[in-house]
């Protein structure tokens, strides 16, 4: 079964710190790796995504680092803010497939 | 306003009853999806549809049914055969056109079985 393993399950970071969430996969057919952000009681929303032909993508305070050989990718949130407190999901899509496989989620709390 | 509307937001059901969750979209997206969210288990795919009058089972389709009679609508029925239906249900769409990994989600429906 296709899987994406996500860690940690929960994370507490002080305001201004760096939040790091990691994901690992096994299926080498995955070709698209998005991260979704979900606030309580809401649906997830696409935050940032990367394809395996690049090792890093940055959008504002959010950066994806991608290690193709290790089959790992991670989300870094720089200068974390209380408004970043949410659940984050990594995901992956296999070439030619119309569905995503999601990680189990990381609940991030940024303390003031 | 373009978007995805799920209803009801909260729903209570007695054991043995079927319930139908509504999902309507005006984004003109062909593909629609139903996910189930449980604490610590992420998002699991129930059913998806890439075109009207066609749909495929996802990873946890047992105890659920769907229809796709219109492009805008993709209702999910939780049947009495679903053993553990209490969960948060999310509907999503995808615009296609090279953006196959980008999902747009509704705000969800929380189903509680009493």
């Amino acid at each position: 079964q296709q899987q994406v393993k996500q860690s940690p399950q929960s994370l507490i970071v002080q305001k201004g710190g760096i939040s790091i969430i990691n994901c690992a996969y096994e299926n080498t057919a995955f070709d698209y790796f998005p991260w979704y952000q979900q606030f309580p009681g809401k649906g997830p929303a696409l935050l940032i995504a990367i394809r395996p032909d690049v090792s890093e993508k940055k959008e504002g305070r959010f950066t994806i680092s991608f290690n193709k050989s290790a089959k790992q990718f991670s989300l870094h949130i720089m200068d974390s803010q209380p408004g970043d407190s949410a659940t984050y999901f990594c995901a992956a899509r296999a070439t030619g497939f119309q569905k995503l496989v999601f990680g189990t989620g990381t609940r991030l709390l940024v303390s003031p | 306003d373009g978007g995805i509307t799920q209803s009801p937001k909260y729903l209570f059901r007695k054991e043995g009853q079927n319930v139908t969750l509504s999902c309507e979209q005006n984004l003109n997206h062909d593909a629609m999806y139903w996910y189930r969210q449980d604490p610590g288990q992420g998002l699991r795919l129930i059913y998806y549809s890439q075109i009207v009058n066609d749909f495929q089972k996802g990873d946890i389709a047992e105890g659920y049914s769907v229809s796709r009679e219109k492009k805008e609508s993709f209702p999910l029925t939780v049947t009495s055969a679903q053993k553990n239906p209490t969960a948060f249900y999310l509907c999503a769409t995808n615009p296609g056109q090279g953006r196959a990994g980008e999902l747009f989600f509704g705000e969800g429906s929380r189903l509680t079985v009493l």
Side-chain angles (χ1 to χ4, degrees), chain A:
Chain A
Q1 185 178 359
Q2 298 181 354
Q3 281 190 334
V4 177
K5 296 183 179 180
Q6 183 172 347
S7 63
Q9 188 173 3
S10 62
L11 181 61
I12 300 175
V13 174
Q14 287 195 332
K15 179 181 177 182
I18 302 173
S19 304
I20 301 174
I21 305 170
N22 300 299
C23 285
Y25 64 97
E26 294 182 357
N27 187 347
T28 56
F30 287 149
D31 68 348
Y32 180 78
F33 301 88
W35 285 88
Y36 283 80
Q37 179 188 55
Q38 183 183 30
F39 293 105
K42 303 293 185 182
L46 179 65
L47 183 64
I48 187 172
I50 197 168
R51 296 191 185 275
D53 52 348
V54 297
S55 60
E56 185 176 281
K57 183 174 182 180
K58 184 176 180 179
E59 290 184 3
R61 295 184 293 108
F62 300 90
T63 300
I64 300 179
S65 296
F66 187 82
N67 186 329
K68 189 173 181 178
S69 61
K71 290 185 279 188
Q72 296 176 346
F73 59 109
S74 60
L75 176 69
H76 295 236
I77 306 174
M78 311 301 287
D79 187 26
S80 298
Q81 299 297 312
D84 297 330
S85 297
T87 299
Y88 293 82
F89 294 96
C90 63
R93 188 208 66 170
T95 305
F97 283 84
Q98 290 290 327
K99 54 181 182 176
L100 291 177
V101 177
F102 283 88
T104 51
T106 296
R107 180 174 287 185
L108 171 66
L109 176 64
V110 181
S111 58

Side-chain angles (χ1 to χ4, degrees), chain B residues 49-56 67-71 73:
Chain B
S49 168
Q50 295 179 274
I51 198 169
V52 174
N53 292 323
D54 187 42
F55 49 83
Q56 288 79 41
S67 63
R68 186 84 186 277
E69 297 176 0
K70 300 185 303 181
K71 186 175 184 176
S73 178

Side-chain angles (χ1 to χ4, degrees), chain B:
Chain B
D1 246 42
I4 301 165
T5 301
Q6 289 188 240
S7 63
K9 193 170 180 67
Y10 300 96
L11 184 61
F12 297 89
R13 183 194 104 175
K14 293 182 180 179
E15 282 194 29
Q17 288 182 336
N18 292 357
V19 294
T20 297
L21 307 180
S22 170
C23 179
E24 301 282 331
Q25 58 110 350
N26 60 6
L27 299 171
N28 199 34
H29 291 172
D30 285 316
M32 297 187 73
Y33 304 78
W34 275 105
Y35 283 89
R36 170 178 170 144
Q37 183 174 10
D38 297 282
Q41 296 196 52
L43 303 175
R44 294 183 292 168
L45 183 63
I46 304 173
Y47 270 97
Y48 64 106
S49 168
Q50 295 179 274
I51 198 169
V52 174
N53 292 323
D54 187 42
F55 49 83
Q56 288 79 41
K57 293 182 179 180
D59 301 317
I60 57 165
E62 185 175 351
Y64 300 97
S65 66
V66 294
S67 63
R68 186 84 186 277
E69 297 176 0
K70 300 185 303 181
K71 186 175 184 176
E72 300 81 14
S73 178
F74 190 41
L76 174 73
T77 296
V78 185
T79 75
S80 56
Q82 169 50 233
K83 301 298 182 189
N84 189 17
T86 294
F88 190 51
Y89 291 89
L90 288 159
C91 177
T93 69
N94 173 260
Q97 301 171 345
R99 298 166 65 186
E102 184 176 346
L103 295 180
F104 293 77
F105 284 89
E107 295 210 332
S109 293
R110 186 167 297 280
L111 172 63
T112 302
V113 174
L114 303 174

